[in-house]
Amino acid sequence: MKEYTVKVIELIQRTPSSLTLRMDKPEGFTFKPGQWGYFTVDGESGKVSRSLSFSSSPTEPHLEFTKRISESDFCKNLEQLQNGDEVSFQGPMGNLIYEGGLEKVTFVAGGIGITPIRSILKNAVDKEIAGEKYLIYGNLNFEETAFADEIEDWERKDPNLTVIHVLQEPPEGWDGFTGFINSQVIEASVPELPDQTFYVSGPPPMVKAVAACLDGLGIDRDRVYKEELEGYEGMV
C-alpha cells in the first residue's frame, strides 16, 4: 500500500481531552467517508504508529484525524507537532463506509467513535444525500462532545437528520437521555427499527454492548456495521 507524507496545517483542541490534527491532502489522494489510515508520527518517543479514522470528509480540501489524548507515546509525539512538520500515513482502509442509497440509516457513536461518522455526515450534508438519518451520540458531558456545534448546524440544515445526545453527566435541567446508549434509548429514538441499517463506532466495549442491544431488538446482523476503535479497549 502506498505511503504518503503530508505537512501539518494545524493542531486543534477539539475538546478538553481530544485533539484534531489537520494536514494537507496529497494530490490525487481519495478516500471514502468512514475509512481510516495508518499514521506514523515522529518525535521524542521515536516513530510511533496508530490506526485512526479520517474525521475529515472527502469533500474537504484537507485531511484530519481526531484522537482522545492519553499518556501513550503516540499522543506525546502528536502534542509536540508544529505547523509545517511532516506526518506519514498509509491508506485508505476500512469498510465502515456510507455514501447514500438507503431510505433510513442510524449512526451510533460512543465518544471519540464519532470520527468516522463525522466524515460520513459531513459528506452527506455537503452532497445533500437523501434519506432519513439518525445519530445517537453518547458522551460524558457536553464539554467532551466533539464536533457538537457542527452537528447542531447540520441538523438545522438537513431536515432529514435527527440527533439524539446521551450524556453520563448531563447539565442541570437536562431532559434528554442520561447514562449509556442502551435498548431503551434506541427504541425511543429511532422509528421503524426493522427498516433501519445501523453504523456503530466507538470503544470496543461500547460497540459490543450496542451490537448486543440491536440483536435483542431483532435487528438483522447483516444490517449492522461496526468499527471498534483501537486503543480505547478500557472505555465505554
mmCIF file of all heavy atoms in Angstrom, residues 30-71:
data_model
loop_
_atom_site.group_PDB
_atom_site.id
_atom_site.type_symbol
_atom_site.label_atom_id
_atom_site.label_comp_id
_atom_site.label_asym_id
_atom_site.label_seq_id
_atom_site.Cartn_x
_atom_site.Cartn_y
_atom_site.Cartn_z
ATOM 1 N N THR A 30 -7.573 9.968 -2.647
ATOM 2 C CA THR A 30 -9.013 9.903 -2.413
ATOM 3 C C THR A 30 -9.321 8.842 -1.358
ATOM 4 O O THR A 30 -8.553 7.892 -1.175
ATOM 5 C CB THR A 30 -9.790 9.555 -3.702
ATOM 6 O OG1 THR A 30 -9.351 8.267 -4.181
ATOM 7 C CG2 THR A 30 -9.566 10.601 -4.783
ATOM 8 N N PHE A 31 -10.427 9.037 -0.670
ATOM 9 C CA PHE A 31 -10.895 8.031 0.290
ATOM 10 C C PHE A 31 -12.401 8.145 0.376
ATOM 11 O O PHE A 31 -13.003 9.127 -0.093
ATOM 12 C CB PHE A 31 -10.247 8.234 1.660
ATOM 13 C CG PHE A 31 -10.686 9.475 2.392
ATOM 14 C CD1 PHE A 31 -11.636 9.418 3.406
ATOM 15 C CD2 PHE A 31 -10.137 10.714 2.077
ATOM 16 C CE1 PHE A 31 -12.035 10.564 4.077
ATOM 17 C CE2 PHE A 31 -10.521 11.868 2.748
ATOM 18 C CZ PHE A 31 -11.474 11.793 3.747
ATOM 19 N N LYS A 32 -13.021 7.150 0.955
ATOM 20 C CA LYS A 32 -14.468 7.141 1.130
ATOM 21 C C LYS A 32 -14.809 7.537 2.568
ATOM 22 O O LYS A 32 -14.047 7.236 3.494
ATOM 23 C CB LYS A 32 -15.042 5.763 0.801
ATOM 24 C CG LYS A 32 -14.867 5.359 -0.660
ATOM 25 C CD LYS A 32 -15.461 3.996 -0.944
ATOM 26 C CE LYS A 32 -15.237 3.569 -2.387
ATOM 27 N NZ LYS A 32 -15.899 4.465 -3.347
ATOM 28 N N PRO A 33 -15.942 8.212 2.769
ATOM 29 C CA PRO A 33 -16.304 8.650 4.121
ATOM 30 C C PRO A 33 -16.481 7.461 5.058
ATOM 31 O O PRO A 33 -17.236 6.541 4.776
ATOM 32 C CB PRO A 33 -17.617 9.403 3.914
ATOM 33 C CG PRO A 33 -18.151 8.918 2.605
ATOM 34 C CD PRO A 33 -16.954 8.603 1.769
ATOM 35 N N GLY A 34 -15.749 7.497 6.179
ATOM 36 C CA GLY A 34 -15.786 6.412 7.149
ATOM 37 C C GLY A 34 -14.510 5.585 7.176
ATOM 38 O O GLY A 34 -14.331 4.762 8.079
ATOM 39 N N GLN A 35 -13.614 5.793 6.213
ATOM 40 C CA GLN A 35 -12.384 4.994 6.164
ATOM 41 C C GLN A 35 -11.318 5.548 7.115
ATOM 42 O O GLN A 35 -11.486 6.601 7.728
ATOM 43 C CB GLN A 35 -11.846 4.944 4.727
ATOM 44 C CG GLN A 35 -12.698 4.093 3.799
ATOM 45 C CD GLN A 35 -12.006 3.811 2.485
ATOM 46 O OE1 GLN A 35 -11.688 4.741 1.734
ATOM 47 N NE2 GLN A 35 -11.790 2.545 2.182
ATOM 48 N N TRP A 36 -10.206 4.806 7.231
ATOM 49 C CA TRP A 36 -9.140 5.183 8.143
ATOM 50 C C TRP A 36 -7.775 5.031 7.485
ATOM 51 O O TRP A 36 -7.644 4.453 6.407
ATOM 52 C CB TRP A 36 -9.200 4.354 9.429
ATOM 53 C CG TRP A 36 -9.241 2.854 9.259
ATOM 54 C CD1 TRP A 36 -10.358 2.087 9.092
ATOM 55 C CD2 TRP A 36 -8.130 1.938 9.250
ATOM 56 N NE1 TRP A 36 -10.017 0.753 8.979
ATOM 57 C CE2 TRP A 36 -8.654 0.637 9.076
ATOM 58 C CE3 TRP A 36 -6.754 2.096 9.382
ATOM 59 C CZ2 TRP A 36 -7.847 -0.497 9.023
ATOM 60 C CZ3 TRP A 36 -5.942 0.964 9.337
ATOM 61 C CH2 TRP A 36 -6.492 -0.318 9.162
ATOM 62 N N GLY A 37 -6.773 5.582 8.163
ATOM 63 C CA GLY A 37 -5.394 5.470 7.709
ATOM 64 C C GLY A 37 -4.503 4.979 8.830
ATOM 65 O O GLY A 37 -4.885 5.006 10.009
ATOM 66 N N TYR A 38 -3.300 4.542 8.464
ATOM 67 C CA TYR A 38 -2.314 4.085 9.445
ATOM 68 C C TYR A 38 -1.240 5.166 9.522
ATOM 69 O O TYR A 38 -0.391 5.285 8.642
ATOM 70 C CB TYR A 38 -1.738 2.738 9.008
ATOM 71 C CG TYR A 38 -0.846 2.083 10.037
ATOM 72 C CD1 TYR A 38 -1.367 1.627 11.249
ATOM 73 C CD2 TYR A 38 0.522 1.913 9.804
ATOM 74 C CE1 TYR A 38 -0.559 1.020 12.192
ATOM 75 C CE2 TYR A 38 1.338 1.302 10.744
ATOM 76 C CZ TYR A 38 0.791 0.857 11.935
ATOM 77 O OH TYR A 38 1.601 0.255 12.869
ATOM 78 N N PHE A 39 -1.310 5.977 10.575
ATOM 79 C CA PHE A 39 -0.499 7.179 10.694
ATOM 80 C C PHE A 39 0.761 6.935 11.530
ATOM 81 O O PHE A 39 0.710 6.240 12.551
ATOM 82 C CB PHE A 39 -1.309 8.303 11.335
ATOM 83 C CG PHE A 39 -2.401 8.831 10.453
ATOM 84 C CD1 PHE A 39 -3.664 8.251 10.451
ATOM 85 C CD2 PHE A 39 -2.169 9.904 9.608
ATOM 86 C CE1 PHE A 39 -4.674 8.737 9.634
ATOM 87 C CE2 PHE A 39 -3.169 10.396 8.782
ATOM 88 C CZ PHE A 39 -4.424 9.810 8.794
ATOM 89 N N THR A 40 1.865 7.548 11.103
ATOM 90 C CA THR A 40 3.125 7.489 11.835
ATOM 91 C C THR A 40 3.570 8.905 12.164
ATOM 92 O O THR A 40 3.663 9.758 11.280
ATOM 93 C CB THR A 40 4.220 6.786 11.014
ATOM 94 O OG1 THR A 40 3.807 5.440 10.740
ATOM 95 C CG2 THR A 40 5.537 6.749 11.782
ATOM 96 N N VAL A 41 3.807 9.144 13.459
ATOM 97 C CA VAL A 41 4.245 10.454 13.942
ATOM 98 C C VAL A 41 5.598 10.287 14.617
ATOM 99 O O VAL A 41 5.770 9.431 15.493
ATOM 100 C CB VAL A 41 3.220 11.051 14.923
ATOM 101 C CG1 VAL A 41 3.699 12.399 15.440
ATOM 102 C CG2 VAL A 41 1.863 11.191 14.258
ATOM 103 N N ASP A 42 6.564 11.101 14.212
ATOM 104 C CA ASP A 42 7.915 11.056 14.779
ATOM 105 C C ASP A 42 8.032 12.121 15.867
ATOM 106 O O ASP A 42 7.376 13.159 15.819
ATOM 107 C CB ASP A 42 8.949 11.315 13.676
ATOM 108 C CG ASP A 42 10.335 10.796 14.050
ATOM 109 O OD1 ASP A 42 10.490 10.292 15.192
ATOM 110 O OD2 ASP A 42 11.250 10.908 13.219
ATOM 111 N N GLY A 43 8.874 11.849 16.858
ATOM 112 C CA GLY A 43 9.075 12.806 17.941
ATOM 113 C C GLY A 43 10.035 12.275 18.968
ATOM 114 O O GLY A 43 10.822 11.354 18.690
ATOM 115 N N GLU A 44 9.965 12.820 20.178
ATOM 116 C CA GLU A 44 10.877 12.406 21.246
ATOM 117 C C GLU A 44 10.725 10.938 21.602
ATOM 118 O O GLU A 44 11.652 10.305 22.109
ATOM 119 C CB GLU A 44 10.649 13.273 22.487
ATOM 120 C CG GLU A 44 11.093 14.721 22.315
ATOM 121 C CD GLU A 44 10.915 15.532 23.579
ATOM 122 O OE1 GLU A 44 10.524 14.950 24.615
ATOM 123 O OE2 GLU A 44 11.157 16.754 23.536
ATOM 124 N N SER A 45 9.548 10.369 21.350
ATOM 125 C CA SER A 45 9.300 8.948 21.646
ATOM 126 C C SER A 45 9.670 8.047 20.474
ATOM 127 O O SER A 45 9.384 6.848 20.496
ATOM 128 C CB SER A 45 7.826 8.735 22.003
ATOM 129 O OG SER A 45 7.460 9.486 23.146
ATOM 130 N N GLY A 46 10.310 8.630 19.430
ATOM 131 C CA GLY A 46 10.624 7.860 18.233
ATOM 132 C C GLY A 46 9.428 7.805 17.307
ATOM 133 O O GLY A 46 8.414 8.466 17.537
ATOM 134 N N LYS A 47 9.519 6.997 16.264
ATOM 135 C CA LYS A 47 8.404 6.865 15.339
ATOM 136 C C LYS A 47 7.352 5.933 15.929
ATOM 137 O O LYS A 47 7.649 4.789 16.265
ATOM 138 C CB LYS A 47 8.883 6.328 13.990
ATOM 139 C CG LYS A 47 9.705 7.328 13.183
ATOM 140 C CD LYS A 47 10.016 6.793 11.796
ATOM 141 C CE LYS A 47 10.750 7.849 10.979
ATOM 142 N NZ LYS A 47 11.044 7.378 9.603
ATOM 143 N N VAL A 48 6.128 6.439 16.056
ATOM 144 C CA VAL A 48 5.039 5.658 16.633
ATOM 145 C C VAL A 48 3.854 5.706 15.675
ATOM 146 O O VAL A 48 3.546 6.765 15.112
ATOM 147 C CB VAL A 48 4.611 6.208 18.010
ATOM 148 C CG1 VAL A 48 3.610 5.255 18.664
ATOM 149 C CG2 VAL A 48 5.814 6.424 18.912
ATOM 150 N N SER A 49 3.201 4.563 15.487
ATOM 151 C CA SER A 49 2.113 4.468 14.509
ATOM 152 C C SER A 49 0.802 4.075 15.178
ATOM 153 O O SER A 49 0.786 3.386 16.199
ATOM 154 C CB SER A 49 2.456 3.443 13.423
ATOM 155 O OG SER A 49 3.652 3.801 12.750
ATOM 156 N N ARG A 50 -0.289 4.486 14.555
ATOM 157 C CA ARG A 50 -1.617 4.174 15.077
ATOM 158 C C ARG A 50 -2.628 4.218 13.934
ATOM 159 O O ARG A 50 -2.544 5.076 13.058
ATOM 160 C CB ARG A 50 -1.998 5.194 16.154
ATOM 161 C CG ARG A 50 -3.395 5.056 16.751
ATOM 162 C CD ARG A 50 -3.585 3.761 17.500
ATOM 163 N NE ARG A 50 -2.699 3.611 18.611
ATOM 164 C CZ ARG A 50 -2.899 4.102 19.837
ATOM 165 N NH1 ARG A 50 -3.975 4.823 20.090
ATOM 166 N NH2 ARG A 50 -2.048 3.852 20.804
ATOM 167 N N SER A 51 -3.586 3.305 13.956
ATOM 168 C CA SER A 51 -4.694 3.319 13.002
ATOM 169 C C SER A 51 -5.742 4.302 13.492
ATOM 170 O O SER A 51 -6.223 4.190 14.624
ATOM 171 C CB SER A 51 -5.317 1.925 12.884
ATOM 172 O OG SER A 51 -4.363 0.987 12.469
ATOM 173 N N LEU A 52 -6.106 5.275 12.642
ATOM 174 C CA LEU A 52 -7.048 6.316 13.030
ATOM 175 C C LEU A 52 -7.988 6.648 11.884
ATOM 176 O O LEU A 52 -7.559 6.763 10.736
ATOM 177 C CB LEU A 52 -6.306 7.589 13.456
ATOM 178 C CG LEU A 52 -5.496 7.474 14.760
ATOM 179 C CD1 LEU A 52 -4.438 8.559 14.822
ATOM 180 C CD2 LEU A 52 -6.428 7.557 15.960
ATOM 181 N N SER A 53 -9.260 6.823 12.210
ATOM 182 C CA SER A 53 -10.244 7.192 11.196
ATOM 183 C C SER A 53 -9.998 8.616 10.720
ATOM 184 O O SER A 53 -9.580 9.487 11.484
ATOM 185 C CB SER A 53 -11.660 7.106 11.771
ATOM 186 O OG SER A 53 -11.974 5.788 12.160
ATOM 187 N N PHE A 54 -10.300 8.852 9.453
ATOM 188 C CA PHE A 54 -10.330 10.227 8.960
ATOM 189 C C PHE A 54 -11.587 10.884 9.521
ATOM 190 O O PHE A 54 -12.696 10.416 9.275
ATOM 191 C CB PHE A 54 -10.385 10.258 7.429
ATOM 192 C CG PHE A 54 -9.157 9.704 6.758
ATOM 193 C CD1 PHE A 54 -9.195 8.464 6.139
ATOM 194 C CD2 PHE A 54 -7.977 10.427 6.731
ATOM 195 C CE1 PHE A 54 -8.072 7.945 5.513
ATOM 196 C CE2 PHE A 54 -6.849 9.917 6.103
ATOM 197 C CZ PHE A 54 -6.893 8.679 5.493
ATOM 198 N N SER A 55 -11.419 11.951 10.287
ATOM 199 C CA SER A 55 -12.603 12.687 10.737
ATOM 200 C C SER A 55 -12.998 13.742 9.713
ATOM 201 O O SER A 55 -14.084 14.324 9.810
ATOM 202 C CB SER A 55 -12.374 13.324 12.109
ATOM 203 O OG SER A 55 -11.203 14.118 12.143
ATOM 204 N N SER A 56 -12.136 14.001 8.751
ATOM 205 C CA SER A 56 -12.479 14.899 7.643
ATOM 206 C C SER A 56 -13.316 14.143 6.617
ATOM 207 O O SER A 56 -13.326 12.912 6.571
ATOM 208 C CB SER A 56 -11.219 15.455 6.992
ATOM 209 O OG SER A 56 -10.318 14.412 6.648
ATOM 210 N N SER A 57 -14.009 14.922 5.801
ATOM 211 C CA SER A 57 -14.820 14.366 4.722
ATOM 212 C C SER A 57 -14.048 14.431 3.405
ATOM 213 O O SER A 57 -13.204 15.319 3.221
ATOM 214 C CB SER A 57 -16.116 15.176 4.604
ATOM 215 O OG SER A 57 -16.736 14.970 3.352
ATOM 216 N N PRO A 58 -14.333 13.534 2.477
ATOM 217 C CA PRO A 58 -13.717 13.635 1.141
ATOM 218 C C PRO A 58 -14.031 14.959 0.446
ATOM 219 O O PRO A 58 -13.319 15.349 -0.485
ATOM 220 C CB PRO A 58 -14.337 12.459 0.382
ATOM 221 C CG PRO A 58 -14.728 11.485 1.433
ATOM 222 C CD PRO A 58 -15.148 12.308 2.608
ATOM 223 N N THR A 59 -15.074 15.647 0.903
ATOM 224 C CA THR A 59 -15.449 16.921 0.286
ATOM 225 C C THR A 59 -14.568 18.078 0.756
ATOM 226 O O THR A 59 -14.649 19.178 0.188
ATOM 227 C CB THR A 59 -16.910 17.264 0.622
ATOM 228 O OG1 THR A 59 -17.062 17.296 2.052
ATOM 229 C CG2 THR A 59 -17.864 16.229 0.039
ATOM 230 N N GLU A 60 -13.759 17.876 1.770
ATOM 231 C CA GLU A 60 -12.934 18.949 2.325
ATOM 232 C C GLU A 60 -11.543 18.962 1.698
ATOM 233 O O GLU A 60 -11.037 17.920 1.276
ATOM 234 C CB GLU A 60 -12.850 18.799 3.842
ATOM 235 C CG GLU A 60 -14.208 18.996 4.513
ATOM 236 C CD GLU A 60 -14.176 18.779 6.016
ATOM 237 O OE1 GLU A 60 -13.950 17.625 6.442
ATOM 238 O OE2 GLU A 60 -14.393 19.741 6.763
ATOM 239 N N PRO A 61 -10.890 20.124 1.651
ATOM 240 C CA PRO A 61 -9.601 20.238 0.957
ATOM 241 C C PRO A 61 -8.408 19.732 1.756
ATOM 242 O O PRO A 61 -7.289 19.695 1.249
ATOM 243 C CB PRO A 61 -9.477 21.749 0.716
ATOM 244 C CG PRO A 61 -10.234 22.370 1.842
ATOM 245 C CD PRO A 61 -11.394 21.444 2.106
ATOM 246 N N HIS A 62 -8.632 19.341 3.006
ATOM 247 C CA HIS A 62 -7.559 18.875 3.879
ATOM 248 C C HIS A 62 -7.904 17.493 4.433
ATOM 249 O O HIS A 62 -9.016 16.998 4.239
ATOM 250 C CB HIS A 62 -7.360 19.857 5.043
ATOM 251 C CG HIS A 62 -8.650 20.153 5.764
ATOM 252 N ND1 HIS A 62 -9.369 21.303 5.545
ATOM 253 C CD2 HIS A 62 -9.362 19.430 6.665
ATOM 254 C CE1 HIS A 62 -10.463 21.289 6.288
ATOM 255 N NE2 HIS A 62 -10.484 20.159 6.972
ATOM 256 N N LEU A 63 -6.966 16.885 5.152
ATOM 257 C CA LEU A 63 -7.202 15.650 5.887
ATOM 258 C C LEU A 63 -7.161 15.954 7.386
ATOM 259 O O LEU A 63 -6.428 16.835 7.825
ATOM 260 C CB LEU A 63 -6.129 14.604 5.563
ATOM 261 C CG LEU A 63 -6.055 14.076 4.139
ATOM 262 C CD1 LEU A 63 -4.888 13.089 4.014
ATOM 263 C CD2 LEU A 63 -7.356 13.413 3.720
ATOM 264 N N GLU A 64 -7.945 15.201 8.144
ATOM 265 C CA GLU A 64 -7.908 15.319 9.601
ATOM 266 C C GLU A 64 -8.085 13.942 10.238
ATOM 267 O O GLU A 64 -8.778 13.088 9.704
ATOM 268 C CB GLU A 64 -9.063 16.204 10.112
ATOM 269 C CG GLU A 64 -8.943 17.666 9.832
ATOM 270 C CD GLU A 64 -10.095 18.466 10.433
ATOM 271 O OE1 GLU A 64 -11.017 17.849 11.028
ATOM 272 O OE2 GLU A 64 -10.064 19.703 10.311
ATOM 273 N N PHE A 65 -7.444 13.770 11.388
ATOM 274 C CA PHE A 65 -7.883 12.729 12.316
ATOM 275 C C PHE A 65 -8.053 13.384 13.677
ATOM 276 O O PHE A 65 -7.445 14.422 13.974
ATOM 277 C CB PHE A 65 -6.946 11.513 12.345
ATOM 278 C CG PHE A 65 -5.581 11.734 12.956
ATOM 279 C CD1 PHE A 65 -5.404 11.914 14.327
ATOM 280 C CD2 PHE A 65 -4.439 11.708 12.159
ATOM 281 C CE1 PHE A 65 -4.148 12.090 14.888
ATOM 282 C CE2 PHE A 65 -3.178 11.893 12.703
ATOM 283 C CZ PHE A 65 -3.036 12.078 14.069
ATOM 284 N N THR A 66 -8.906 12.799 14.491
ATOM 285 C CA THR A 66 -9.208 13.341 15.812
ATOM 286 C C THR A 66 -9.030 12.233 16.825
ATOM 287 O O THR A 66 -9.547 11.130 16.644
ATOM 288 C CB THR A 66 -10.640 13.911 15.865
ATOM 289 O OG1 THR A 66 -10.772 14.927 14.869
ATOM 290 C CG2 THR A 66 -10.950 14.489 17.228
ATOM 291 N N LYS A 67 -8.281 12.534 17.901
ATOM 292 C CA LYS A 67 -7.911 11.477 18.844
ATOM 293 C C LYS A 67 -8.067 11.918 20.292
ATOM 294 O O LYS A 67 -7.744 13.050 20.639
ATOM 295 C CB LYS A 67 -6.459 11.044 18.608
ATOM 296 C CG LYS A 67 -6.115 9.799 19.417
ATOM 297 C CD LYS A 67 -4.709 9.367 19.215
ATOM 298 C CE LYS A 67 -4.430 8.074 19.966
ATOM 299 N NZ LYS A 67 -5.074 7.961 21.273
ATOM 300 N N ARG A 68 -8.584 11.003 21.099
ATOM 301 C CA ARG A 68 -8.605 11.224 22.545
ATOM 302 C C ARG A 68 -7.167 11.158 23.041
ATOM 303 O O ARG A 68 -6.411 10.251 22.707
ATOM 304 C CB ARG A 68 -9.451 10.163 23.230
ATOM 305 C CG ARG A 68 -9.712 10.429 24.696
ATOM 306 C CD ARG A 68 -10.800 11.455 24.892
ATOM 307 N NE ARG A 68 -12.124 10.937 24.562
ATOM 308 C CZ ARG A 68 -13.175 11.685 24.334
ATOM 309 N NH1 ARG A 68 -13.053 12.995 24.355
ATOM 310 N NH2 ARG A 68 -14.347 11.156 24.048
ATOM 311 N N ILE A 69 -6.762 12.129 23.855
ATOM 312 C CA ILE A 69 -5.384 12.213 24.313
ATOM 313 C C ILE A 69 -5.168 11.324 25.532
ATOM 314 O O ILE A 69 -5.986 11.280 26.452
ATOM 315 C CB ILE A 69 -5.017 13.678 24.634
ATOM 316 C CG1 ILE A 69 -5.084 14.518 23.368
ATOM 317 C CG2 ILE A 69 -3.622 13.764 25.235
ATOM 318 C CD1 ILE A 69 -4.208 14.015 22.233
ATOM 319 N N SER A 70 -4.035 10.611 25.501
ATOM 320 C CA SER A 70 -3.658 9.743 26.610
ATOM 321 C C SER A 70 -2.170 9.941 26.895
ATOM 322 O O SER A 70 -1.535 10.849 26.350
ATOM 323 C CB SER A 70 -3.939 8.272 26.238
ATOM 324 O OG SER A 70 -3.045 7.861 25.206
ATOM 325 N N GLU A 71 -1.610 9.080 27.721
ATOM 326 C CA GLU A 71 -0.177 9.152 28.033
ATOM 327 C C GLU A 71 0.654 8.293 27.085
ATOM 328 O O GLU A 71 1.836 8.061 27.340
ATOM 329 C CB GLU A 71 0.056 8.692 29.486
ATOM 330 C CG GLU A 71 -0.574 9.600 30.537
ATOM 331 C CD GLU A 71 -0.008 11.018 30.478
ATOM 332 O OE1 GLU A 71 1.217 11.154 30.329
ATOM 333 O OE2 GLU A 71 -0.809 11.972 30.567
#
